């Protein structure tokens, strides 16, 4: 039990330990001198006196140590000593140190980065106070539906929806595009998060058309200077003034949204307020207290049925899911797979680490024996080795965190939106803790066994025991090579697939084309005639704009994510039982659609002015249709009709166009028929996509097009304004992400395996140094030695490659869903990967081989 | 030889008490303390003199003695130890503990 004074004294002594030790030494020397003096004065022989004095004094070295221990912090000082010594050892062996630290850093950094994402997306609870009671609607919803459900549902205490809405902020400096969102219903109260400053708005304010805006904390900080007096001031957004009424707390976000500013729906987009068919909002709700999701769902089914009766053409079903599931969605499995793959890489890294440590420990056999001989106990030696392991692990962790930060930054820069909009993903405390803990555990788990095993054998002082170690290391390396080959092959397959996908002919030219989606509200466009009228005016208006080269209208955009199929009967073909008529994609298009999209006409003609509403119905089909139904005949002139609609006229085929990618780049072509919208037969197809090609290849201004449309009907909701290129890019986003990630992992694994190969071969060389010396002395040339070492390395590589190939062939079937255009056992990919592996492997072997071949026989032979 | 060994076994702990007691006579350096203990005990207590120093360090860190360098009568540099007030109090505590211990042993030996 130490008093404070004693503790302070200890610390003071500790800080002055060196001078204190010196003083004690001097004291003892004086003491002994005095003794000798006294003896001599009493008449003794000086020599005898000296021996007698020393004998009576005891062992000064021991006494000095004990004197130091009297006030030293024993364990701490030993630890510091171990650390200092460990650092020195690491510094003296830069090759080893770098290899192990980098190995660990890569493995740990990668896992930390992935863990950060997993943590933010899968593990962290949703940042809303009522998170357990939050549910979301599957699919997209329209505002009128949401408002009706909000009013009628008793089990959902609040229902709200939002739609991401880019806003043009004009004010401080130059106009800036800000991510915003329109909110319908009581969103903020549904989520339960109170504002940090000011107040929020809800359905009441929305109905009163109050032009208010709530800002995120980040936006308030960056754009409004964190100034509290900004509340109450107007912000000019996309031409309207909105008053800032509140700021949300830091880190608050709408689920799956990057928006920073939130405005009421009716104020922002009055045109769409009644558009029940415009489904583009993310809807969620909060369960009332005492209600379960099942209860809310059954009530919702009833409400849905009632709404369906009132508005039959917009009847749909509503499904509730937990908010978390909706937000995480399809990312869960790939993320977990990612985590698993990262884990594999870490495994490779750890085996490298173990391998290197083993080599190191053996190389220090002599040092350990000496230390043991002069009195270091087993525990002390083990502690020493442990300290070094942990030291390396810490260095690895430190570097690994850096790797993680960079890696995460890179990963997030091309992430799928699912992951991006979730929450801000950073390396946070949890991830840091993860890094440090996994580093320490790795250091201990993979560092201890070699240390222990070696120490057991060091007692026997046999170096032949060491041979056993070689076997383990060789196996490790072969396994590493095999594993990395599997990863490489997988990555190769994905890369090749993606490349093929990119070069898939689209059938149309997307460059310079803008697309947007619009829906004609049922209220004003119930009849076919009104729809056709509007579309004709729109078509003419757009095509007469000077900056527009050509504009077209289509009901479903290629690769736009929606499709429409009908059962159809083809005349002149053998009859088919009812219900089993072929399903054919059907689109309604404007006359200039093919020209706008530059879809090539292969035979016959497109639609002309002659194909009017009263003229004989015509249609244009694609190649797939022609090949499927009339492979040997001319398809032009054949007729088709909607199945089970005997009163509808037959449609005559007048032209054939090139196949167009419709669903996804990797799907096969389906028979498709295009009919002119002017000959519409079904009134309920009211949503259209407008495509506009700018003159001279330059893109058109979206606002100009929007205004042109609104000039004809200023209450028409327009959504999804995107260049066509982006639409296509969207469709392959996830594929690209997976491919890049797997490639990175494979690259890492490969690097680590190469380091592993290098390490083992270098070690084997050092084991055979004497033998090499003898060989050289007996006349072996450089080349002979080179080949000797290379052969060993190649053996390892070969075995690893064989193992890896088998593994890759077996496991590649797992990738079946992700591969495109090539088989899962694509010969070219495998061949290339194996060649790359062998090449790098040989390189890794070559370095120690070269060193071996340059060994001076004299030095070699002198090695113990 | 065996006598000395037995005596050494008594000394851990009591050595410190003896040092403190010695220092109540006035400041002294290590050699002087060793001499005093030996002489005053009529050579019964032959301290392994080196072991004084760990003991002195312990005393110093606990604040029961202070030390400073000075010149010995023979002109040598010597580190002189002085007992502190806390040390005196500690000496009292240890002395009474020791007496109780001796009395206990004597009782046992007396009735043996």
């Amino acid at each position: 039990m130490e008093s404070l004074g004693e503790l302070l004294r200890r610390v003071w002594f500790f800080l002055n330990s060196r001078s204190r030790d010196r003083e004690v030494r001097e004291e003892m020397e004086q003491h002994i001198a005095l003794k000798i003096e006294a003896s001599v004065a009493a008449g003794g022989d000086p020599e005898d006196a000296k021996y007698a004095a020393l004998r009576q004094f005891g062992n000064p070295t021991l006494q000095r140590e004990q004197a130091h221990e009297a006030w030293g912090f024993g364990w701490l000082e030993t630890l510091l000593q171990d650390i200092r010594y460990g650092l020195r050892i690491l510094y003296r062996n830069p090759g080893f140190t770098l290899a192990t630290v980098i190995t660990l850093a890569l493995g740990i950094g990668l896992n930390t980065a992935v863990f950060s994402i997993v943590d933010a997306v899968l593990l962290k609870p949703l940042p809303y106070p009522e998170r357990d009671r939050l549910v979301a609607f599957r699919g997209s919803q329209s505002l009128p539906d949401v408002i009706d459900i909000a009013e009628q549902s008793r089990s959902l205490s609040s229902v709200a929806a939002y739609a991401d809405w880019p806003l043009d902020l004009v004010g401080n400096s130059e106009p800036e595009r800000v991510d915003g969102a329109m909110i319908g219903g009581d969103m903020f109260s549904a989520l339960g998060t109170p504002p940090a400053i000011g107040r929020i708005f809800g359905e009441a304010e929305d109905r009163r058309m109050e032009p208010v805006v709530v800002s995120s904390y980040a936006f308030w900080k960056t754009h409004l200077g964190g100034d509290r007096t900004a509340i109450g001031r107007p912000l000019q957004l996309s031409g309207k003034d909105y008053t800032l009424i509140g700021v949300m707390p830091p880190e608050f976000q709408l689920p799956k949204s990057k928006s920073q500013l939130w405005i009421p729906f009716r104020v922002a987009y009055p045109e769409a307020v009644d558009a029940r068919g415009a489904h583009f909002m993310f809807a969620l709700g909060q369960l009332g207290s005492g209600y379960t999701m099942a209860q809310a769902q059954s009530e919702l089914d009833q409400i849905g049925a009632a709404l369906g009766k009132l508005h039959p053409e917009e009847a749909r079903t509503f499904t509730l899911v937990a908010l978390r599931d909706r937000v995480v969605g399809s990312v869960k499995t790939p993320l977990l797979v990612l985590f698993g793959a990262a884990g594999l890489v870490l495994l490779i890294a750890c085996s490298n680490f173990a391998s290197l440590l083993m080599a190191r420990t053996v190389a220090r056999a002599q040092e350990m024996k000496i230390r043991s001989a002069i009195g270091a106990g087993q525990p002390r030696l083990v502690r020493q080795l442990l300290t070094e392991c942990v030291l390396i692990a810490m260095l690895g962790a430190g570097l690994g965190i850096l790797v993680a930060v960079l890696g995460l930054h890179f990963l997030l820069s091309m992430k799928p939106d699912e992951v991006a909009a979730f929450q801000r993903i950073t390396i946070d405390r949890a991830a840091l803790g993860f890094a440090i803990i996994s580093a320490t555990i790795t250091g201990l788990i993979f560092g201890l066994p070699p240390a222990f095993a070696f120490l057991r054998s060091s007692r026997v002082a046999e170096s032949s025991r060491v041979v056993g170690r070689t076997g383990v290391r060789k196996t490790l390396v072969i396994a590493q090579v095999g594993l990395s080959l599997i990863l490489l092959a997988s990555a190769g397959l994905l890369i090749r697939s993606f490349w093929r996908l990119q070069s898939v002919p689209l059938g149309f030219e997307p460059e310079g084309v803008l697309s947007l989606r619009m829906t004609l509200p049922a209220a004003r466009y119930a009849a076919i005639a009104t729809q056709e009228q509007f579309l004709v005016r729109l078509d003419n208006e757009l095509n007469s704009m000077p900056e527009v080269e050509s504009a077209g209208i289509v009901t479903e955009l290629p690769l736009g994510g929606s499709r429409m199929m009908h059962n159809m009967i083809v005349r002149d073909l053998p009859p088919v039982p009812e219900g089993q008529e072929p399903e054919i994609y059907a689109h309604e298009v404007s006359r200039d659609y093919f020209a706008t999209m530059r879809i090539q006409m292969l035979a016959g003609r497109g639609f002309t002015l002659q194909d009017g509403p009263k003229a004989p119905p015509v249609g244009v089909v694609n190649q797939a249709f022609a090949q499927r139904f009339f492979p040997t005949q001319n398809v032009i002139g054949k007729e088709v009709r909607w199945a089970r609609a005997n009163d509808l006229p037959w449609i005559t085929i007048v032209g054939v166009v090139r196949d167009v990618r419709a669903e996804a780049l990797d799907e096969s072509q389906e028979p498709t028929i295009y009919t002119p919208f002017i000959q519409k037969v079904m009134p309920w197809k009211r949503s259209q996509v407008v495509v506009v090609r700018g003159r001279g290849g330059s893109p058109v201004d979206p606002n100009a097009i929007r205004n042109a449309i609104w000039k004809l009907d200023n209450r028409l909701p327009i959504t999804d304004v995107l260049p066509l290129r982006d639409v296509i890019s969207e469709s392959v986003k996830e594929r690209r992400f997976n491919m890049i990630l797997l490639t990175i992992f494979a690259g890492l694994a490969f690097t680590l395996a190469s380091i592993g190969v290098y390490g083992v071969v270098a070690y084997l060389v050092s084991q055979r140094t004497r033998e090499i010396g003898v060989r050289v002395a007996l006349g072996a040339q450089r080349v002979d030695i080179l080949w000797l070492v290379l052969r060993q390395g190649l053996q390892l590589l070969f075995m690893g490659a064989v193992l890896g190939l088998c593994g890759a062939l077996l496991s590649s079937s797992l990738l079946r869903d992700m591969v495109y255009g090539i088989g899962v056992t694509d010969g070219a990919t495998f061949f290339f990967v194996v060649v790359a592996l062998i090449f790098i492997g040989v390189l890794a072997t070559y370095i120690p081989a070269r060193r071996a071949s340059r060994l001076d026989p004299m030095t070699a032979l002198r090695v113990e | 030889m065996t006598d000395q060994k037995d005596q050494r076994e008594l000394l851990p702990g009591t050595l410190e008490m003896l040092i403190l007691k010695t220092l109540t006579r006035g400041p002294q350096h290590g050699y002087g303390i060793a001499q005093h203990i030996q002489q005053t005990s009529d050579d019964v207590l032959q301290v392994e003199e080196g072991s004084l120093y760990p003991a002195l360090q312990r005393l110093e860190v606990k604040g029961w003695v202070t030390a400073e360098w000075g010149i010995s009568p023979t002109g040598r540099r010597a580190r002189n130890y002085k007992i502190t007030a806390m040390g005196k109090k500690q000496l009292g505590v240890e002395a009474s503990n020791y007496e109780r211990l001796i009395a206990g042993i004597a009782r046992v030996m007396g009735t043996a």
Side-chain angles (χ1 to χ4, degrees):
Chain A
M1 223 206 3
E2 292 184 9
S3 67
L4 181 65
E6 188 177 331
L7 190 63
L8 286 173
R9 267 187 294 269
R10 269 188 185 249
V11 171
W12 175 248
F13 287 7
F14 182 69
L15 292 173
N16 292 303
S17 64
R18 220 175 286 192
S19 61
R20 184 155 277 267
D21 284 338
R22 235 193 342 224
E23 283 181 356
V24 170
R25 190 197 198 109
E26 194 182 336
E27 253 188 287
M28 290 184 173
E29 282 169 11
Q30 296 290 12
H31 184 127
I32 294 172
L34 278 172
K35 274 187 84 71
I36 297 175
E37 256 182 31
S39 242
V40 166
D45 173 51
E47 282 298 307
D48 289 338
K50 194 162 86 173
Y51 285 124
L54 282 171
R55 212 178 343 125
Q56 200 175 13
F57 192 82
N59 179 356
T61 313
L62 193 60
Q63 303 295 8
R64 269 207 308 276
E65 278 179 18
Q66 284 180 352
H68 183 108
E69 270 171 41
W71 48 262
F73 295 95
W75 58 271
L76 183 66
E77 289 185 12
T78 325
L79 186 67
L80 281 176
Q81 200 175 38
D82 283 342
I83 292 178
R84 253 202 310 266
Y85 187 64
L87 283 174
R88 206 163 57 215
I89 291 277
L90 291 180
Y91 181 69
R92 289 248 184 87
N93 294 280
F96 167 75
T97 311
L98 271 175
T100 35
V101 170
I102 289 179
T103 299
L104 264 190
L106 285 176
I108 289 175
L110 188 71
N111 275 273
T112 308
V114 173
F115 178 77
S116 298
I117 301 181
V118 168
D119 183 43
V121 175
L122 296 179
L123 293 179
K124 264 217 194 87
L126 293 175
Y128 310 115
E130 303 296 343
R131 61 183 80 106
D132 299 322
R133 297 225 300 270
L134 291 175
V135 294
F137 286 68
R138 205 184 276 170
S140 299
Q141 311 302 328
S142 63
L143 185 73
D145 279 341
V146 168
I147 300 297
D148 287 341
I149 294 173
E151 278 172 3
Q152 295 172 30
S153 173
R154 269 175 319 212
S155 46
L156 293 170
S157 61
S158 31
V159 179
Y162 79 86
D164 282 324
W165 200 245
L167 296 166
D168 294 313
L169 174 69
V170 173
N172 310 337
S173 39
E174 48 177 41
E176 185 194 340
R177 175 142 282 211
V178 178
D179 292 317
M182 305 188 292
I183 296 186
D186 293 312
M187 174 66 73
F188 297 105
S189 46
L191 293 175
T193 312
I197 308 171
R199 62 185 177 93
I200 42 100
F201 62 84
E203 179 64 9
E205 288 83 357
D206 195 15
R207 274 189 215 268
R208 288 199 295 266
M209 303 282 282
E210 287 182 23
V212 290
V213 58
V214 172
S215 139
S216 73
Y217 199 81
F219 181 89
W220 177 61
K221 276 273 177 207
T222 53
H223 290 75
L224 301 171
D227 184 5
R228 272 169 187 264
T229 65
I231 311 284
R233 284 213 300 248
L235 287 174
Q236 200 195 66
L237 303 167
S238 296
K240 279 208 201 63
D241 272 339
Y242 294 83
T243 315
L244 180 68
I245 56 166
V247 178
M248 293 307 280
E251 307 299 323
F252 174 83
Q253 263 184 316
L254 292 183
K256 271 192 130 164
S257 171
K258 286 183 288 194
S259 50
Q260 305 280 317
L261 291 175
W262 303 295
I263 50 182
F265 190 104
R266 290 180 178 77
V267 182
Y269 205 5
E271 299 88 357
V273 170
D274 297 319
R276 197 172 285 271
H279 305 120
F280 62 103
M281 302 190 84
F282 179 112
L284 54 87
Q286 191 191 120
L287 289 171
S289 57
Y291 288 99
T292 65
M293 197 160 88
Q295 288 173 318
Q297 178 68 59
S298 59
E299 190 190 26
L300 194 60
D301 291 336
Q302 288 175 333
I303 297 176
L307 283 176
K309 286 214 185 69
L310 276 177
H311 311 277
E313 50 315 330
E314 305 295 354
R316 58 208 308 259
T317 51
F318 303 97
T319 317
L320 291 176
V321 294
L323 181 62
R324 163 149 249 141
D325 293 340
R326 173 79 208 270
V327 175
V328 167
S330 59
V331 154
K332 190 174 184 181
T333 319
L335 254 189
L336 290 175
V337 166
L338 202 64
F339 197 49
L344 271 183
V345 173
L346 182 64
L347 224 65
I348 297 181
C350 287
S351 61
N352 245 7
F353 182 64
S355 188
L356 285 164
L357 269 174
M358 260 195 274
R360 196 76 205 110
T361 319
V362 167
R364 294 170 66 193
Q366 214 166 3
E367 173 208 334
M368 288 295 154
K369 285 180 204 154
I370 294 174
R371 297 184 92 204
S372 173
I374 55 172
Q378 279 276 60
R380 185 71 209 274
L381 287 178
V382 168
R383 208 169 49 219
Q384 171 69 44
L385 285 172
L386 253 181
T387 315
E388 282 173 26
C389 284
V390 175
L391 215 58
I392 297 176
M394 286 298 127
L395 284 173
L399 191 62
I401 289 173
L402 188 67
V403 167
V405 169
L406 291 173
L408 193 65
H409 186 77
F410 175 65
L411 275 179
L412 290 179
S413 66
M414 36 105 184
K415 67 279 177 198
D417 290 322
E418 301 249 357
V419 174
F422 194 98
Q423 281 171 55
R424 223 177 37 155
I425 300 175
T426 51
I427 309 278
D428 60 0
R429 279 195 304 267
L432 275 176
F434 176 80
I436 293 176
I437 289 174
S438 53
T440 314
I441 292 179
T442 309
L444 290 176
I445 290 181
F446 290 91
L448 273 183
F452 274 125
F454 167 72
L455 283 169
R456 264 201 307 275
S457 70
S458 77
R459 284 250 194 86
V460 187
E462 272 178 27
S463 52
S464 58
R465 277 290 190 98
V466 152
V467 173
R469 293 285 86 73
T470 325
V472 175
R473 295 195 65 197
K474 278 189 183 170
T475 318
L476 273 180
V477 154
I478 293 173
Q480 282 177 1
V481 170
L483 266 179
S484 58
L485 187 77
I486 296 177
L487 279 176
L488 271 175
S490 313
L493 286 173
L494 284 192
I495 292 175
R496 197 132 189 259
S497 299
F498 191 75
W499 199 28
R500 287 221 159 184
L501 210 61
Q502 292 288 73
S503 51
V504 156
L506 293 167
F508 58 93
E509 283 179 30
E511 293 301 333
V513 176
L514 182 76
S515 72
L516 53 85
R517 197 183 293 274
M518 62 178 201
T519 308
L520 302 173
R524 293 175 284 124
Y525 294 93
I528 293 181
T530 39
Q531 292 174 29
E532 286 179 354
Q533 225 176 31
F534 175 79
L535 290 176
V536 165
R537 283 170 66 204
L538 180 63
D539 197 17
N540 291 335
E541 175 68 33
L542 289 176
N543 275 299
S544 66
M545 288 170 74
E547 65 266 43
V548 171
E549 182 184 302
S550 170
I553 306 175
V554 63
T555 45
E556 290 86 22
L557 190 64
L559 299 174
S562 58
R563 41 139 86 178
M564 183 67 71
M565 288 190 298
H566 298 304
N567 294 98
M568 292 194 145
I569 310 174
V570 182
R571 208 178 226 181
D572 297 341
L573 281 189
V576 167
E578 251 201 44
Q580 288 180 18
E581 300 91 349
E583 274 194 329
I584 300 179
Y585 281 76
H587 308 295
E588 286 172 13
V589 297
S590 69
R591 266 193 333 267
D592 298 312
Y593 173 70
F594 297 122
T596 310
M597 299 287 274
R598 302 230 176 113
I599 298 172
Q600 197 184 4
M601 190 71 68
L602 293 175
R605 64 171 181 85
F607 303 129
T608 63
L609 272 171
Q610 271 70 45
D611 303 310
K614 305 285 195 306
V618 291
V620 169
V621 296
N622 68 350
Q623 288 168 288
F625 184 101
Q627 259 146 27
R628 165 90 78 88
F629 299 107
F630 299 102
T632 51
Q633 307 165 45
N634 189 358
V635 70
I636 300 196
K638 300 288 183 231
E639 293 175 336
V640 296
R641 202 192 63 193
W642 290 55
R644 285 170 269 128
N646 293 334
D647 52 335
L648 289 179
W650 288 94
I651 301 171
T652 314
I653 298 172
V654 296
V656 182
V657 286
R658 189 177 281 287
D659 287 335
V660 160
R661 288 273 152 208
E663 178 86 32
L665 282 181
D666 50 355
E667 304 254 336
S668 56
Q669 290 294 13
E670 295 295 320
T672 310
I673 184 168
Y674 301 88
T675 50
F677 69 75
I678 202 82
Q679 295 178 343
K680 205 187 258 286
V681 286
M682 294 293 161
W684 42 263
K685 260 204 204 181
R686 263 179 279 105
S687 88
Q688 328 280 336
V689 175
V690 172
V691 284
V692 181
R693 180 178 292 276
R695 202 170 284 283
S698 48
V700 276
D701 176 21
N703 285 324
I705 306 298
R706 261 206 290 250
N707 290 335
I709 298 176
W710 280 333
K711 213 166 59 172
L712 299 175
D713 180 345
N714 64 1
R715 287 179 294 153
L716 212 53
I718 299 176
T719 58
D720 297 315
V721 184
L722 282 175
L724 214 49
R725 253 282 156 240
D726 288 358
V727 173
I728 298 170
S729 186
E730 274 296 309
S731 68
V732 293
K733 210 158 197 180
E734 193 166 320
R735 230 181 231 282
R736 191 191 298 127
F737 185 64
N738 289 338
M739 175 197 79
I740 291 180
L741 275 176
L742 206 54
T743 308
I744 293 175
F745 286 173
L748 269 177
F750 192 46
T751 311
L752 291 172
S754 310
I755 295 178
V757 167
Y758 166 77
V760 168
V761 173
Y763 170 69
L764 291 172
V765 163
S766 69
Q767 287 300 102
R768 299 175 74 176
T769 312
R770 227 147 152 234
E771 175 201 337
I772 293 173
V774 170
R775 284 177 187 258
V776 171
L778 290 179
Q781 298 300 316
R782 285 232 187 110
V783 167
D784 299 323
I785 305 295
L786 203 68
W787 175 239
L788 188 74
V789 178
L790 267 176
R791 205 178 53 203
Q792 256 190 323
L794 281 173
Q795 255 172 4
L796 292 172
L797 280 174
F798 182 69
M799 283 197 271
V802 166
L803 203 73
L805 264 178
C806 295
L809 286 170
L810 284 174
S811 66
S812 61
S813 53
L814 287 173
L815 290 172
R816 203 176 292 278
D817 300 327
M818 300 165 83
V819 158
Y820 169 80
I822 53 178
V824 280
T825 54
D826 181 44
T829 311
F830 276 69
F831 178 73
F832 182 69
V833 160
V834 171
V835 162
L837 188 89
I838 301 281
F839 179 70
I840 302 292
V842 165
L843 205 66
T845 311
Y846 180 72
I847 299 172
R850 205 166 115 96
R851 249 214 314 261
S853 68
R854 284 169 185 239
L855 272 179
D856 171 28
M858 289 311 292
T859 338
L861 285 170
R862 258 192 250 121
V863 166
E864 154 94 14
Chain B
M1 281 306 271
T2 32
D3 284 356
Q4 277 179 339
K5 254 223 178 92
D6 291 335
Q7 276 152 13
R8 262 202 293 274
E9 276 162 24
L10 262 182
L11 287 175
T14 53
L15 179 61
E16 280 153 24
M17 185 179 69
L18 296 175
I19 294 173
L20 284 174
K21 185 69 187 178
T22 308
L23 288 177
T24 55
R25 290 163 47 86
Q28 187 58 267
H29 53 63
Y31 177 66
I33 297 171
Q35 286 299 94
H36 180 263
I37 292 175
Q38 194 170 332
Q39 285 156 13
T40 316
S41 70
D42 283 337
D43 284 349
V44 170
L45 299 179
Q46 302 252 9
V47 177
E48 186 191 48
E49 294 174 12
S51 63
L52 271 178
Y53 289 96
L56 284 166
Q57 292 292 318
R58 270 195 298 277
L59 290 173
E60 204 182 340
V61 84
K62 286 204 190 279
W64 297 333
V65 302
T66 56
E68 62 181 9
W69 284 99
I71 311 287
S72 80
T74 54
R76 289 190 171 276
R77 247 169 71 89
R79 203 152 180 259
N80 288 312
Y81 293 87
K82 197 161 89 169
I83 191 167
T84 63
M86 272 203 307
K88 285 188 184 133
K89 208 159 58 167
Q90 181 67 15
L91 176 60
V93 169
E94 290 207 20
S96 63
N97 282 345
Y98 182 72
E99 272 160 38
R100 267 208 306 275
L101 180 69
I102 293 297
I105 294 174
R107 278 201 297 278
V108 171
M109 295 306 288
T111 58

